[in-house]
Amino acid sequence: MYSQEKDTIQTDVINVVKPYTPTISDAFKIKTTPDLDDNATTAKKDVDYNILSVPVASTFIPTKGKAAKVEREKPELFYENYFTLGYGSYGDLISELYVTKEFNRIGSFGARLTQEMSNGGIDDKILDNSFTNTNVELEYIKRQRDITWSIKGGLERQKYNWYGIEDRYENATNQNASDDNTSVSHNFYDLYAIGDVAFDYTYVKSGSVTLRRFYDEFESGETLLKFKGKVDLPIMDEEITTDVRLEYLSGHAGEAYVRTENPAEYGGLLFGVSPSYQLRRDDLTLNIGASAYYMIGKNDTESNLYVFPNITGSFRIVDDVVIAYGGLTGDVIQNTYRDFAQTNQFLSPTISVRPTDNSFNAYAGMLGKFTNDIGYNVKIGYSSEKDKALFRKNTFQASGTTMGTTDSFKYGNSFMVVYDNIKTIQALVEVNVDMNRNLKMGLRAEYMNYNTEFEEEAWNLPNIKASVFADYMSDDSWFAGAKIFYVGERKDLNVLTGDNVITPDAVISLDGYVDINFNAGYNFSNRFTVFLNLNNVAGDSYERWSNYNVQGFQILGGATYKFDF
């Protein structure tokens, strides 16, 4: 039988006491610079050498340079002092004298005297319709490194006449008017002081203080103290421009239009701030702000808090060709007797004054250029105003048949101020043309639609206003200009009552008018200029206010002389 041989390998157990740890032998780096062992290497030898400088012969001799003379024109002298005198039809006279003197370390002093007057002469008006306006003003200006400040003060006197008597009652109520024209005259007096200051490199930018006393000869008057300031406040690395406003007004009427009533008293203290922030992003400019005012009322003026938005912005759609703009703003207007009298000189001294709350004014428009010479502006807007001031005829209160038996402003020939809440839709178009550096022209047309709350009409406010102007300055010292104004139809209320005449209330219409004016002149030198003005060339003695016609065609010529001393 086959049998397998027996294995002779014996099995043993091997115990590993330490695990195997391989090691790496040291590496030897080859030297980059081998050692040289060359017996033929020799030492370097020193080399000495000299440079021999020999001048180079040259026949070129440069000529000396000579500065070229620059032909400069003699600078034209500028004269700060001047005197203007002009005289024309209707006895019109204008004159103005302005003198100033500057002292380097003290400042500059100035004085101005103006006189404007007319003898009247309006057709079909038997009452005195002359006027006089005289103003005297003194001024001091100080300019320093970081601050400029000035102060000026003056006195103005304005004399007008209530000559606008209703035609059909003129003979009945003014039998002695031709002999006693002074009975319809009245004077306004304005005494004022104004201080201004402007700072450089400070957060406080500017400030202005105005103190004004305005009054008439009928014991009506008011005192106004007004402060305005501008401050840039740094907040979180941004500057917030803030306007500060403080106004104090105190006034009273000399008497009431109706004897049984008490004279009006008005006034109050208005304080407010208007912060705003300007954001610029490429073609977008955005001003974001708000206004807050508080009125502490006095007598007939109510206390009130006013808060308005103040947001405006513009966006360049196509560079300077098309720029869109818009805004939503509001403000409170502190009306004054003086402001009313500058707009309508035939007010009775019995008015009451209230502030106007311009709740909001929203508008949007587009401006730019058709060409490099023609620019345009188109705008539409909507505003809401509370207590907007309107001028309306006073009622006929005369009890006698001749002037002097009652107050001279109670013959339906003066105006009162009434207030209403009015919403206005406005559209505006402007075109400006710069034909060349000598000729400039422009056109402006404005349409307004008024919606009143209490009054039947927006008294004496036109729906359409337009104007065209052109100015030309030749290279030969000639200059000329033209201005044409159009004012549309207005409404007023005619209330005639008295012992002998009783008529119902009636809304009357004042026709629109066109006023064409031309002017021309010649500069004989930088000292002496002559001029000629042609006003109301169409000769239309239109009514600016009810029964208050203006002068017809007027010619006025004069001269201006400039000097120094």
Side-chain angles (χ1 to χ4, degrees):
M1 294 178 65
Y2 172 76
S3 175
Q4 185 177 1
E5 294 182 359
K6 185 176 181 180
D7 190 358
T8 59
I9 298 176
Q10 295 180 354
T11 59
D12 292 325
V13 177
I14 300 174
N15 294 324
V16 178
V17 178
K18 182 179 179 181
Y20 172 72
T21 303
T23 59
I24 300 175
S25 62
D26 293 337
F28 298 95
K29 183 177 180 181
I30 300 176
K31 294 182 179 181
T32 58
T33 303
D35 295 333
L36 296 178
D37 188 11
D38 189 354
N39 295 329
T41 301
T42 59
K44 294 181 179 180
K45 294 181 179 182
D46 295 331
V47 179
D48 295 328
Y49 57 90
N50 295 320
I51 298 176
L52 179 62
S53 298
V54 179
V56 178
S58 176
T59 59
F60 173 74
I61 301 175
T63 59
K64 294 182 179 180
K66 192 174 183 180
K69 292 183 179 181
V70 178
E71 296 293 337
R72 293 190 303 174
E73 295 182 359
K74 186 177 181 180
E76 184 176 357
L77 294 178
F78 176 74
Y79 300 97
E80 295 181 337
N81 310 287
Y82 64 89
F83 175 66
T84 298
L85 180 65
Y87 185 78
S89 56
Y90 297 96
D92 294 348
L93 173 68
I94 61 169
S95 62
E96 181 176 1
L97 173 65
Y98 178 76
V99 292
T100 181
K101 184 65 175 178
E102 184 172 356
F103 302 91
N104 292 333
R105 296 186 177 181
I106 300 177
S108 61
F109 295 87
R112 186 190 307 273
L113 173 63
T114 61
Q115 173 84 15
E116 183 179 359
M117 61 182 299
S118 174
N119 292 332
I122 299 175
D123 295 339
D124 301 327
K125 295 297 179 183
I126 65 172
L127 293 177
D128 184 7
N129 47 80
S130 64
F131 69 87
T132 304
N133 188 349
T134 305
N135 186 20
V136 179
E137 183 178 272
L138 300 176
E139 183 180 34
Y140 172 75
I141 302 176
K142 179 65 174 178
R143 298 178 179 88
Q144 296 175 309
R145 181 177 179 181
D146 298 329
I147 181 175
T148 300
W149 60 274
S150 66
I151 184 171
K152 65 180 178 181
L155 174 63
E156 183 178 15
R157 172 184 175 265
Q158 296 173 295
K159 177 182 177 295
Y160 297 96
N161 291 277
W162 287 299
Y163 64 88
I165 301 294
E166 183 76 12
D167 292 340
R168 53 182 169 169
Y169 302 106
E170 196 168 55
N171 293 331
T173 58
N174 297 283
Q175 295 175 2
N176 300 331
S178 60
D179 299 326
D180 191 19
N181 278 331
T182 58
S183 62
V184 294
S185 68
H186 59 284
N187 294 272
F188 297 120
Y189 301 92
D190 186 14
L191 180 63
Y192 60 92
I194 303 173
D196 292 289
V197 61
F199 301 93
D200 295 329
Y201 314 115
T202 63
Y203 293 123
V204 179
K205 294 302 180 183
S206 62
S208 174
V209 178
T210 301
L211 177 61
R212 190 183 297 274
R213 174 65 181 172
F214 184 81
Y215 59 98
D216 58 31
E217 59 194 279
F218 295 90
E219 299 183 356
S220 298
E222 64 186 14
T223 300
L224 174 66
L225 176 61
K226 180 168 62 175
F227 169 79
K228 295 190 300 182
K230 182 182 291 260
V231 181
D232 286 345
L233 300 176
I235 299 177
M236 299 179 63
D237 299 330
E238 299 289 347
E239 283 192 354
I240 305 298
T241 300
T242 303
D243 294 325
V244 181
R245 179 178 169 189
L246 178 65
E247 297 181 9
Y248 172 75
L249 177 67
S250 178
H252 61 86
E255 62 178 273
Y257 195 79
V258 179
R259 297 286 188 182
T260 57
E261 298 179 357
N262 295 323
E265 295 186 6
Y266 57 89
L269 177 64
L270 178 68
F271 173 76
V273 293
S274 302
S276 64
Y277 170 71
Q278 187 176 82
L279 176 66
R280 290 180 176 270
R281 294 290 185 273
D282 297 330
D283 295 326
L284 175 67
T285 300
L286 187 63
N287 298 299
I288 305 173
S291 301
Y293 301 97
Y294 185 72
M295 167 70 76
I296 302 176
K298 174 184 176 183
N299 298 321
D300 294 343
T301 304
E302 297 181 355
S303 299
N304 203 353
L305 174 65
Y306 305 91
V307 179
F308 308 106
N310 189 12
I311 302 173
T312 61
S314 63
F315 182 74
R316 295 180 178 271
I317 300 176
V318 183
D319 295 331
D320 292 335
V321 178
V322 181
I323 302 174
Y325 67 93
L328 177 63
T329 62
D331 198 6
V332 56
I333 302 172
Q334 179 70 287
N335 295 314
T336 65
Y337 183 22
R338 176 184 178 274
D339 293 338
F340 291 156
Q342 301 311 302
T343 304
N344 187 338
Q345 299 81 23
F346 310 107
L347 293 174
S348 65
T350 59
I351 67 171
S352 178
V353 178
R354 304 181 199 168
T356 297
D357 177 5
N358 189 354
S359 301
F360 68 88
N361 179 24
Y363 62 92
M366 192 170 295
L367 58 84
K369 294 182 177 180
F370 292 118
T371 65
N372 290 333
D373 301 327
I374 303 177
Y376 67 91
N377 180 23
V378 180
K379 173 184 173 183
I380 58 173
Y382 179 77
S383 64
S384 175
E385 297 172 282
K386 297 180 181 178
D387 287 332
K388 181 178 177 63
L390 304 172
F391 299 112
R392 197 186 74 189
K393 284 186 63 175
N394 274 314
T395 59
F396 188 97
Q397 292 289 334
S399 58
T401 58
T402 60
M403 294 296 287
T405 57
T406 187
D407 293 322
S408 55
F409 53 84
K410 293 188 177 181
Y411 291 84
N413 57 337
S414 65
F415 293 82
M416 69 173 74
V417 177
V418 295
Y419 299 88
D420 199 357
N421 300 333
I422 298 180
K423 294 179 173 57
T424 306
I425 299 175
Q426 179 191 36
L428 171 69
V429 176
E430 289 180 313
V431 177
N432 295 307
V433 181
D434 293 336
M435 300 296 294
N436 49 52
R437 66 187 184 91
N438 301 106
L439 178 61
K440 296 182 179 180
M441 298 186 297
L443 178 148
R444 176 187 174 97
E446 193 173 5
Y447 171 78
M448 288 79 62
N449 181 274
Y450 302 103
N451 182 11
T452 61
E453 183 174 349
F454 304 112
E455 300 292 329
E456 294 183 53
E457 299 284 348
W459 309 116
N460 283 293
L461 292 181
N463 293 108
I464 299 176
K465 292 193 297 184
S467 62
V468 178
F469 78 90
D471 290 314
Y472 176 75
M473 175 68 74
S474 73
D475 296 329
D476 300 325
S477 300
W478 285 98
F479 62 89
K483 294 182 180 179
I484 303 175
F485 303 94
Y486 173 74
V487 177
E489 183 182 80
R490 291 136 291 139
K491 302 290 185 180
D492 206 334
L493 188 62
N494 205 18
V495 182
L496 300 176
T497 60
D499 294 342
N500 301 322
V501 180
I502 299 177
T503 61
D505 295 357
V507 175
I508 59 176
S509 296
L510 305 180
D511 294 335
Y513 60 86
V514 176
D515 196 331
I516 304 174
N517 307 276
F518 297 103
N519 69 282
Y522 184 77
N523 296 314
F524 286 95
S525 66
N526 56 348
R527 281 180 177 266
F528 188 68
T529 302
V530 295
F531 61 87
L532 178 67
N533 296 339
L534 306 178
N535 298 326
N536 196 7
V537 175
D540 181 17
S541 184
Y542 57 83
E543 290 181 289
R544 176 62 183 88
W545 305 96
S546 178
N547 296 324
Y548 281 93
N549 301 77
V550 302
Q551 295 173 341
F553 176 51
Q554 307 153 42
I555 301 177
L556 186 143
T560 297
Y561 178 72
K562 302 175 183 179
F563 60 94
D564 275 340
F565 59 87

